[in-house]
Amino acid sequence: MKLNTNSIIKQCKPIYLLLAFVLLCSHDLYIKMDSYFLKPNQEATLSLYNGTFENSENIITRDRMLDASLVAQGKRTAIDPSNWKDQDSIITQLTFKTGEAGTYVAGVSTKARNIELTAEKFNSYLKNDGVLDMLQKRTTDSLLNEDAVESYQKHVKAIYQVGDVKTNDWNTVLGYPIEFVPQENPYDKYNGDTLEVQLLLDGKPLPNQLVFADFIKNSHGHTHDDESNEHEHDGQKHSHEHSTNTHKHAQEEKEHSHTSGQQLRTDAKGIVTVKLPEEGVYYLRTINMTRATDSDELTHRSKWATLTFEVSHAHGANSHTHEHDTESEIPTWLFVLGSFIIIGILVLIFRKKDN
Amino acid sequence: MRLHVRRVLFILPLLIPIIGFAHGVSSADQELLHTGGLLAYIRVGATHMLTGYDHLLFLAGVVFYLNSFKDILKFITVFTIGHCITLIGATYAGITANEHLVDAVIALSVLYKGFENLKGFEKLNIKAPNLLFMVGIFGLIHGFGLSTRLQSFDIGQEQFLAKILCFNLGVEVGQVLALIPIVFLLTLSRKHKQFPAFYKAVNWYLILAGVALFAYQMYGFFNGH
C-alpha cells in the first residue's frame, strides 16, 4: 500500500495548525454561571472557567486558591474548599443555595505560579492576550528575542442578582492584588446603557491599563434556562488550553486572540466605561504585567483580573423610561359619558339628515 | 358616508379629553406590581383593558357589525388569540417598539373598523379584506401594544412567564367585563327604530376617534411626549 504523504499532510493541516497554537496562548479565569439572575433560596452552580469564557480546559486545584468568597447582605463568607467539585477534570464548580434576595459578589483569588516561555512564544502570548503595552516595551527596548520567566496570578469576580431586591454589595472591594470594582450596580443597568468600572491594583486605582470587555448574547436576560453560552469570534468557535507550566492554546485554523470586544484603557482614576449594547453576559479582563527587575529568577510578573455579570433588556427602553405619562388619567365613567355625548350628537345629526 | 366638514370640526374638539388619556396605567400600578404578587398582574391587566379606550373602541367596532352571539364569540376568540400571541411572545422575547407608534397603529385599527362597518370599501368600489382575517391581524397589533405597555413596567425576573400570563389573564377578564355592557347596549339598540342613525353615529365616532388618537400618538412620537 502506497502512502500518499501529500494527502496525509493536507489532511493533518488543521492538526498542525492547532498544535502550532497550542503553546502560544494563555488561560483566562472566569467565574461563570448559567444565569446571573437567580431566585432566592434556589440551588445554583458557580463554575470556574479556566481557559476562555466559553470553554474551560483545566480545573483550579484547591491549593491554588488563596481566597474564595461570597458577599451578600454586607457579609463576606469564605467558601469551604471541600465544597468545590471538579467536573470532567476541566471545570471546578460550586453548588450552593442562593439565600435572600440581593446583589451578590463572588470572588476567587489564586496563588502566583511561574511559567517559562521562549521569546517567540512569549511575544505571541503578549499579542494574543492583549498585553500590548509590554509587547510594545519589548519592541522599543529591542528585547523581542529575550526568553521569559513570568510569575502570574489570577483574581476573578462575578456579580449576580438574586431576586428583585438590589443591595449594595456590588461595590465590595475584596482586597485582591488586582480587581475590578463597578462604580454602579450592574443590575441597575440595561442594554443600551454604559457601566463604569474601576480597576484597582493593590487597592489603588490603576490608570492607563488596557481592559478588554466582551459579552455573549443570551436569548433572554432573565432566568430562562439558557444553556447555549457558546459564542464565536469572527465566525470561529474557539477553545484554549493552558496548563500549569506551559501556555497552551488550541485553535481552529484562524489565529485569534483573547482581545475581542471593546478595547478600553483606564483613565486617571482607573476607570473604564463599558458599553452594554445588548443583553447578555459581559466579561471584562485585563492583565497587568511588569518587568521583574528585582528578581534573579523572574523576568516578568503579571496580575490577571476578570469580572463577569449579566445585563438584561430594558423594559420599554425604546418607548419610555419606566415613567408613565398617564398619571392624570380621566375616569372610565368620564370616557363613557363623553363617548355617549359625542355619539348622541352624531345620532341627532344623522337622524336629521335621514329625515 | 358624507358628513359636512363643519360638523366634523365641531365633533373633533369633543374628543380631546378622551384621546389624551387613552391608557389608564400609572406608577401606582408599578407599585402594585412590585408588592402585589401575581394577582396584581391580573388586576393591572384588567385595569389596562378597561381603561385602554383604544382597545375598547376597536372591540365595540367588531361587535357592532355582528348580529349573532355565535359570530361575536367567533370574532372575539380570533381577536383574543391574536393579542395573546403577541402579548406573551413579545414580552417573553423582550421585543418592544416605540409606544406611540404602536398605539398609532392601534388607533388606525379603530378607524379601520368604523370605516369598514360603514361599508367604506364598498363605496370606494374596493373589495374589503376578509373581516375575520383583519380582526386576527389587529388582534396581533393590539397584543403588541399591550406587551409594550407591560414591558414599560419593571417587572423583575422572578416568575417572569407567570407574570406575563397573569397580565394576559387580567386583559381577558377586562375584555369580558367591557364586552358585557357593550353587547347589552348593542342588543337593546338594535330593537330601536333609530338604530340606523345610531349605527352610523357610532361608526363615525370610531372613525373620528381613530383619527384623533392617531394624530395624538404621532404628535407624541414627534414631540417626545
Side-chain angles (χ1 to χ4, degrees):
Chain A
M1 197 170 74
K2 196 177 175 183
L3 280 175
N4 184 339
T5 50
N6 280 344
S7 168
I8 291 170
I9 289 169
K10 230 177 206 178
Q11 285 175 11
C12 291
K13 194 179 171 186
I15 299 169
Y16 294 147
L17 283 166
L18 187 147
L19 287 172
F21 283 101
V22 155
L23 300 174
L24 296 183
C25 277
S26 57
H27 266 165
D28 285 321
L29 182 64
Y30 295 99
I31 297 177
K32 190 172 171 182
M33 307 172 90
D34 286 340
S35 172
Y36 293 71
F37 291 102
L38 303 167
K39 294 174 186 170
N41 301 310
Q42 83 164 81
E43 195 169 86
T45 302
L46 184 152
S47 301
L48 294 179
Y49 267 52
N50 194 23
T52 67
F53 195 70
E54 302 79 33
N55 294 296
S56 184
E57 303 290 342
N58 290 117
I59 59 166
I60 299 293
T61 54
R62 312 313 168 256
D63 64 326
R64 280 185 73 182
M65 292 183 192
L66 280 175
D67 176 72
S69 303
L70 294 176
V71 182
Q73 320 297 339
K75 191 180 164 194
R76 182 170 177 173
T77 310
I79 298 169
D80 186 338
S82 65
N83 289 341
W84 293 100
K85 307 284 178 210
D86 296 326
Q87 188 197 358
D88 303 328
S89 301
I90 54 169
I91 305 174
T92 300
Q93 292 186 317
L94 173 76
T95 302
F96 65 105
K97 271 213 161 188
T98 51
E100 290 175 41
T103 308
Y104 284 58
V105 176
V108 171
S109 174
T110 66
K111 286 178 188 170
R113 283 186 164 185
N114 293 352
I115 179 172
E116 288 184 38
L117 291 168
T118 63
E120 190 187 355
K121 287 171 188 169
F122 188 63
N123 295 335
S124 181
Y125 141 64
L126 294 180
K127 183 185 170 195
N128 291 318
D129 280 67
V131 197
L132 304 178
D133 293 338
M134 182 53 68
L135 184 61
Q136 180 61 41
K137 190 169 170 51
R138 275 170 71 84
T139 307
T140 308
D141 297 347
S142 302
L143 295 172
L144 288 173
N145 293 323
E146 187 186 78
D147 294 342
V149 180
E150 177 197 353
S151 163
Y152 66 94
Q153 50 184 286
K154 301 172 185 178
H155 312 283
V156 297
K157 289 168 77 173
I159 303 173
Y160 57 95
Q161 178 63 40
V162 175
D164 292 337
V165 179
K166 314 281 170 62
T167 51
N168 292 325
D169 298 300
W170 49 269
N171 60 2
T172 303
V173 176
L174 295 175
Y176 294 161
I178 188 168
E179 70 178 290
F180 286 111
V181 181
Q183 300 300 289
E184 305 149 282
N185 188 344
Y187 295 95
D188 282 335
K189 298 291 180 177
Y190 301 95
N191 60 324
D193 291 342
T194 58
L195 177 72
E196 288 194 342
V197 181
Q198 189 175 44
L199 182 61
L200 299 179
L201 181 72
D202 298 321
K204 293 175 185 163
L206 176 59
N208 199 32
Q209 170 69 30
L210 266 180
V211 172
F212 297 90
D214 204 357
F215 70 100
I216 55 169
K217 290 181 192 177
N218 273 356
S219 61
H220 202 289
H222 302 284
T223 47
H224 314 310
D225 299 332
D226 178 21
E227 301 295 336
S228 59
N229 280 334
E230 269 197 345
H231 86 153
E232 300 177 356
H233 292 310
D234 303 325
Q236 292 284 313
K237 279 186 184 175
H238 61 269
S239 63
H240 302 241
E241 175 66 34
H242 180 188
S243 67
T244 54
N245 54 7
T246 60
H247 284 269
K248 295 180 183 176
H249 183 190
Q251 170 156 330
E252 295 172 25
E253 306 230 2
K254 270 177 71 178
E255 183 175 354
H256 81 281
S257 72
H258 293 237
T259 56
S260 59
Q262 302 166 59
Q263 181 173 316
L264 309 163
R265 199 171 273 280
T266 56
D267 64 13
K269 294 177 181 173
I271 292 173
V272 287
T273 302
V274 182
K275 289 178 186 165
L276 312 171
E278 295 184 48
E279 62 180 309
V281 179
Y282 283 75
Y283 51 100
L284 278 63
R285 61 178 292 279
T286 192
I287 301 173
N288 177 256
M289 189 180 286
T290 53
R291 285 189 65 83
T293 52
D294 57 346
S295 170
D296 295 332
E297 183 192 4
L298 302 172
T299 59
H300 297 80
R301 288 192 182 92
S302 65
K303 292 176 181 175
W304 304 39
T306 64
L307 173 70
T308 49
F309 56 90
E310 188 167 357
V311 170
S312 68
H313 63 258
H315 292 280
N318 288 340
S319 50
H320 39 69
T321 54
H322 290 204
E323 289 171 6
H324 302 281
D325 51 15
T326 53
E327 296 281 342
S328 54
E329 68 193 78
I330 58 166
T332 302
W333 68 266
L334 196 53
F335 162 74
V336 174
L337 185 66
S339 298
F340 274 126
I341 292 170
I342 295 163
I343 291 167
I345 293 168
L346 284 169
V347 166
L348 290 175
I349 292 169
F350 284 114
R351 200 170 69 174
K352 193 179 169 187
K353 195 177 170 224
D354 290 343
N355 290 334
Chain B
M1 284 287 283
R2 208 178 280 165
L3 195 66
H4 291 299
V5 174
R6 282 173 62 188
R7 284 173 182 165
V8 172
L9 290 174
F10 171 71
I11 295 296
L12 269 175
L14 293 170
L15 295 166
I16 289 170
I18 292 166
I19 62 176
F21 307 96
H23 286 277
V25 285
S26 65
S27 49
D29 289 329
Q30 176 67 79
E31 188 56 31
L32 184 65
L33 295 180
H34 268 313
T35 57
L38 290 175
L39 278 177
Y41 283 82
I42 297 175
R43 186 174 153 185
V44 171
T47 307
H48 181 66
M49 196 64 185
L50 285 169
T51 56
Y53 306 135
D54 43 4
H55 304 301
L56 295 183
L57 291 173
F58 181 78
L59 273 176
V62 170
V63 297
F64 218 89
Y65 183 79
L66 306 169
N67 290 318
S68 70
F69 184 73
K70 190 182 163 189
D71 275 346
I72 290 173
L73 199 65
K74 186 167 79 179
F75 276 77
I76 294 301
T77 302
V78 169
F79 180 71
T80 303
I81 290 169
H83 74 232
C84 284
I85 289 170
T86 39
L87 169 53
I88 297 168
T91 311
Y92 190 78
I95 301 167
T96 185
N98 185 282
E99 185 183 327
H100 290 293
L101 288 182
V102 179
D103 284 346
V105 178
I106 290 173
L108 290 179
S109 74
V110 175
L111 187 157
Y112 178 93
K113 203 69 206 79
F115 179 77
E116 186 186 50
N117 288 354
L118 289 167
K119 300 192 186 309
F121 287 108
E122 269 182 43
K123 286 169 186 171
L124 292 173
N125 288 321
I126 299 169
K127 193 186 174 195
N130 181 281
L131 194 56
L132 199 59
F133 174 76
M134 289 308 292
V135 167
I137 294 291
F138 286 132
L140 292 171
I141 294 166
H142 280 245
F144 190 53
L146 292 161
S147 169
T148 304
R149 177 60 61 168
L150 177 58
Q151 290 182 72
S152 74
F153 291 110
D154 186 2
I155 64 174
Q157 285 79 42
E158 287 175 53
Q159 299 179 295
F160 189 65
L161 185 59
K163 286 172 178 173
I164 301 170
L165 293 174
C166 284
F167 183 82
N168 198 154
L169 177 64
V171 165
E172 307 318 327
V173 170
Q175 183 171 284
V176 170
L177 290 175
L179 277 171
I180 290 169
I182 291 172
V183 173
F184 177 72
L185 282 175
L186 184 60
T187 309
L188 279 184
S189 68
R190 282 189 198 285
K191 295 169 186 168
H192 202 280
K193 63 178 181 180
Q194 298 295 341
F195 181 73
F198 181 60
Y199 183 91
K200 279 185 196 171
V202 169
N203 285 298
W204 264 108
Y205 169 69
L206 292 182
I207 290 174
L208 295 173
V211 170
L213 283 168
F214 178 78
Y216 173 73
Q217 294 300 344
M218 293 313 289
Y219 176 82
F221 176 69
F222 286 114
N223 292 280
H225 177 66

